[in-house]
Amino acid sequence: MKILVTVSESVDVDDDFEVSEMAIDERYLTYDLNEWDDYAIEEAVQIGEEIDDVEVVTVTIGPERTEEVIRQALAKGADRAVRVWDDALEEASVLDPATKARLVAAVAREEEPDLVLTGVQSGDYSFGATGVALAAEMDYEWAAVVNNLDLDAEAGVASVHRELEGGVEELSDVELPAVLTIQTGINDPRYASLRGIRQAQSKPLDVKTLGDVGVDADDLRLSLSLSSLYEPETEGEATLLEGGPDETAGELAELLRERGVDA
Amino acid sequence: MTVLAVAEHRRGELREESLELLTVGRQLADALDSELHAAVVSGDVDQYAEDLNREGVDAIHTVDHGEEFNHDVYTQTIEQLVGAADATMVLTPNSVNGLDWAPALAQRLDWPLVTDAVDMDVSDGLTVTRELYGGKVEGAVEVDSDHAVLTVRGGEWPAAGGTGSATVEPFEPDIDEAAIGSTVTGFQEVGAGDVDITESDVLVAVGRGIEEEENLDIIEELADAMGATVAASRPIVDNGWLPKDRQVGQSGKNVSPDVYLAIGISGAVQHVAGMNGSETIIAVNDDPSAPIFDVADYGIVDDLFEVVPELTEQFSG
């Protein structure tokens, strides 16, 4: 069977940063493998270790910079990778879920996977919608926010737990082919081994333009754009305790005792 | 034209966010010179319709089909109802289930989707405010369309009140059963452990800032000294360092103790949703821009590894 895993970057913003011209300057940003995708990769690789003849292919919509996280995914055990990018995408202020879904779907139509795993959300825009949009685009079945997966490849059914709010899980049977959006905590993502990192360098990483995947740049229909970006005003009025750790701890202990805390 | 607010329910209960939708839905409808319709699909729809009949709602569509949420049924039903009710905007909660069907609807209708809206404005086309980069910045997203599917963050608008005079109209969609490829087989509650954190008056909650599992010792020692119970944010539970029944937040427990001491917790919205009802909130975090300080009453901006042992000392005299 073939498993397609979407891989994207997370963007961490430094504690101190500035917003200018509707963007956070690059120097305040650190890129890493999106945490949710890390769990999705692990889940795919584990399935490959449990059953025979599984190919794990990653797909990324992103510029050349993202090859760093793609190599991480390959080092963790994915077999090969596809990256789609185009100058036409560079100009978009918001890459919305529908556009991402359309581009991933273009790759997925060629790959014809039995299972697609995506992270629940990305760390920058956090739309949390690309996986389900992709399923609709592909006419695949789907399940969002999966924190437990039991795959019966022969029967073509994925038995999943969906993590609802308030400590409740929904148990569902999902027919393949399907897209599952993977929640953190579903497994224990591995660190890449040195051998894995070496091997990753020689695994195939195909780079495709919009034209290569059959999408016309004029036909992108980017319907969302950013019109402002700012640091939110702090709503709270927290009283900050000042001084060294001994002073602040002393003051805090007093506050706590006033509120009845005492062992 | 119509603004259509699609309610959410689970195991026989209408969820509170459904009533908040009616408030933001009414605002949108006024600005767009539209009617506000609510829709409720599956379960005891007549009871839900009664609950949804608040001030400002013009009509309620009830769809009596099955008991629990099924995304295929919701997607097919609402796609048809959008046509029947002449809707230009569809609103639903930004919940796990909302995000399980709204993106599919948007794709089928070929309408733009904006998730997790915290504010919106239609004075000059639709603009939706949402958080980016884990809440560090906010942005206004312009929607280049007269149509949109929007998922709305809970707690940002008040629940609609009063008693409405909406007409209740049963709607019978044409459901393609063959296209339903997923079946809900049951529900499972996260098991209760030896400790119920919702019962505790004083919680010491630990987050990602603790860095390593073995560092949890200093948190346990502090909690012991204070006579408090240890709770945690999501990453600690994801790592398997503490059991799931200790998790505070949207997918964990909802707590409201007298004192909530958050240590090394950044304060993501999902965490805050589970603890902002606490009487006194105190945060220790070395990042002054951490959103936890927005909900805290008192804060210490310092290295937790310095502050925590000092505080333990204060209580072990």
Side-chain angles (χ1 to χ4, degrees):
Chain A
M1 78 184 295
K2 190 187 276 188
I3 306 177
L4 195 65
V5 185
T6 58
V7 170
S8 62
E9 294 171 318
S10 68
V11 189
D12 282 330
V13 182
D14 289 352
D15 291 349
D16 293 307
F17 65 95
E18 288 163 42
V19 177
S20 61
E21 289 174 40
M22 285 207 279
I24 301 172
D25 195 275
E26 281 286 332
R27 70 194 139 123
Y28 303 114
L29 305 178
T30 314
Y31 297 94
D32 201 352
L33 177 59
N34 177 33
E35 194 180 350
W36 286 268
D37 296 344
D38 197 11
Y39 287 88
I41 294 160
E42 178 63 32
E43 200 63 22
V45 171
Q46 284 188 13
I47 292 168
E49 287 166 347
E50 278 156 29
I51 55 180
D52 293 335
D53 294 326
V54 172
E55 187 184 26
V56 177
V57 181
T58 68
V59 56
T60 300
I61 311 301
E64 194 174 354
R65 186 188 62 225
T66 58
E67 292 194 0
E68 197 164 321
V69 299
I70 296 171
R71 292 287 175 202
Q72 283 184 43
L74 293 171
K76 285 164 184 269
D79 297 300
R80 60 185 175 84
V82 179
R83 177 172 74 82
V84 180
W85 196 242
D86 205 285
D87 291 343
L89 298 170
E90 200 85 56
E91 290 155 23
S93 62
V94 181
L95 211 47
D96 64 301
T99 305
K100 280 194 272 187
R102 237 176 115 213
L103 297 175
V104 174
V107 174
R109 279 190 199 101
E110 273 178 39
E111 297 286 347
E112 296 183 346
D114 304 282
L115 185 63
V116 182
L117 302 182
T118 75
V120 162
Q121 63 182 63
S122 63
D124 46 5
Y125 272 87
S126 305
F127 278 110
T130 304
V132 174
L134 171 66
E137 184 77 17
M138 295 290 294
D139 213 5
Y140 275 24
E141 195 41 58
W142 74 91
V145 193
V146 168
N147 70 352
N148 191 295
L149 167 59
D150 187 10
L151 188 68
D152 186 340
E154 257 171 55
V157 176
S159 298
V160 303
H161 291 202
R162 295 182 54 234
E163 184 189 82
L164 305 181
E165 294 83 0
V168 176
E169 294 179 359
E170 178 204 280
L171 282 53
S172 278
D173 287 340
V174 182
E175 289 171 16
L176 302 187
V179 179
L180 307 178
T181 82
I182 300 296
Q183 176 65 303
T184 58
I186 187 173
N187 52 41
D188 188 7
R190 71 194 65 193
Y191 292 97
S193 63
L194 281 174
R195 189 161 156 266
I197 293 167
R198 261 201 315 276
Q199 284 175 341
Q201 296 307 318
S202 55
K203 287 180 177 174
L205 195 171
D206 288 336
V207 182
K208 293 174 189 275
T209 62
L210 290 182
D212 293 339
V213 296
V215 174
D216 190 338
D218 294 331
D219 193 30
L220 270 179
R221 300 191 316 257
L222 295 161
S223 54
L224 305 185
S225 58
L226 205 58
S227 60
S228 71
L229 191 73
Y230 50 91
E231 285 187 66
E233 285 173 32
T234 48
E235 294 158 16
E237 292 178 5
T239 306
L240 295 181
L241 310 182
E242 309 279 349
D246 52 333
E247 294 165 76
T248 54
E251 218 179 313
L252 180 52
E254 205 169 306
L255 276 169
L256 290 168
R257 287 204 177 90
E258 281 167 16
R259 283 158 182 77
V261 178
D262 209 343
Chain B
M1 291 194 307
T2 306
V3 172
L4 184 63
V6 182
E8 180 167 324
H9 58 86
R10 195 165 83 201
R11 302 163 92 190
E13 303 266 351
L14 193 71
R15 291 174 63 79
E16 177 74 12
E17 290 86 342
S18 306
L19 301 174
E20 298 169 11
L21 287 182
L22 302 177
T23 304
V24 54
R26 187 66 252 171
Q27 290 169 4
L28 269 185
D30 285 343
L32 292 167
D33 203 11
S34 296
E35 290 193 2
L36 171 64
H37 292 195
V40 61
V41 184
S42 308
D44 187 355
V45 290
D46 293 330
Q47 177 62 49
Y48 296 142
E50 212 169 290
D51 297 341
L52 288 165
N53 200 344
R54 303 285 169 114
E55 235 166 80
V57 182
D58 297 305
I60 300 168
H61 305 276
T62 56
V63 181
D64 186 10
H65 188 285
E67 278 304 308
E68 292 291 344
F69 171 78
N70 176 290
H71 60 224
D72 294 305
V73 172
Y74 267 57
T75 309
Q76 289 187 34
T77 299
I78 301 303
E79 186 182 9
Q80 293 169 38
L81 187 54
V82 159
D86 189 25
T88 59
M89 300 271 166
V90 176
L91 308 178
T92 204
N94 188 67
S95 59
V96 171
N97 280 347
L99 290 172
D100 195 43
W101 73 272
L105 177 76
Q107 212 68 12
R108 282 178 179 227
L109 293 170
D110 200 12
W111 288 8
L113 165 77
V114 184
T115 60
D116 205 16
V118 299
D119 203 358
M120 51 185 88
D121 180 70
V122 282
S123 51
D124 182 24
L126 175 64
T127 302
V128 181
T129 305
R130 60 194 310 287
E131 290 183 348
L132 291 80
Y133 302 107
K136 285 210 165 179
V137 291
E138 256 177 33
V141 175
E142 253 176 40
V143 181
D144 181 21
S145 171
D146 297 333
H147 300 85
V149 178
L150 304 166
T151 69
V152 176
R153 180 179 290 186
E156 295 293 324
W157 282 271
T163 308
S165 51
T167 54
V168 177
E169 302 163 10
F171 178 72
E172 288 184 22
D174 185 10
I175 300 288
D176 177 7
E177 298 285 344
I180 298 177
S182 67
T183 319
V184 177
T185 57
F187 291 92
Q188 187 174 304
E189 310 253 357
V190 172
D194 50 340
V195 178
D196 185 354
I197 57 170
T198 64
E199 293 290 319
S200 188
D201 295 331
V202 184
L203 287 175
V204 174
V206 57
R208 209 191 281 266
I210 199 70
E211 292 171 6
E212 302 285 341
E213 185 171 12
E214 54 263 32
N215 295 341
L216 283 177
D217 289 352
I218 62 168
I219 302 297
E220 302 275 0
E221 284 162 21
L222 174 62
D224 276 352
M226 286 173 56
T229 306
V230 175
S233 68
R234 172 161 206 126
I236 303 300
V237 174
D238 278 350
N239 286 341
W241 298 349
L242 284 172
K244 182 114 190 161
D245 55 39
R246 301 279 183 145
Q247 186 179 327
V248 172
Q250 213 162 59
S251 53
K253 298 271 171 69
N254 217 319
V255 299
S256 47
D258 296 338
V259 173
Y260 190 89
L261 177 53
I263 298 175
I265 291 177
S266 65
V269 57
Q270 294 86 350
H271 181 77
V272 169
M275 50 68 86
N276 59 4
S278 306
E279 193 70 34
T280 301
I281 298 170
I282 301 153
V284 180
N285 198 307
D286 60 7
D287 174 6
S289 69
I292 191 75
F293 290 115
D294 292 345
V295 294
D297 301 291
Y298 299 94
I300 297 176
V301 180
D302 206 344
D303 183 356
L304 73 90
F305 296 105
E306 303 262 353
V307 176
V308 169
E310 287 285 350
L311 190 56
T312 307
E313 187 73 17
Q314 293 281 340
F315 282 98
S316 21

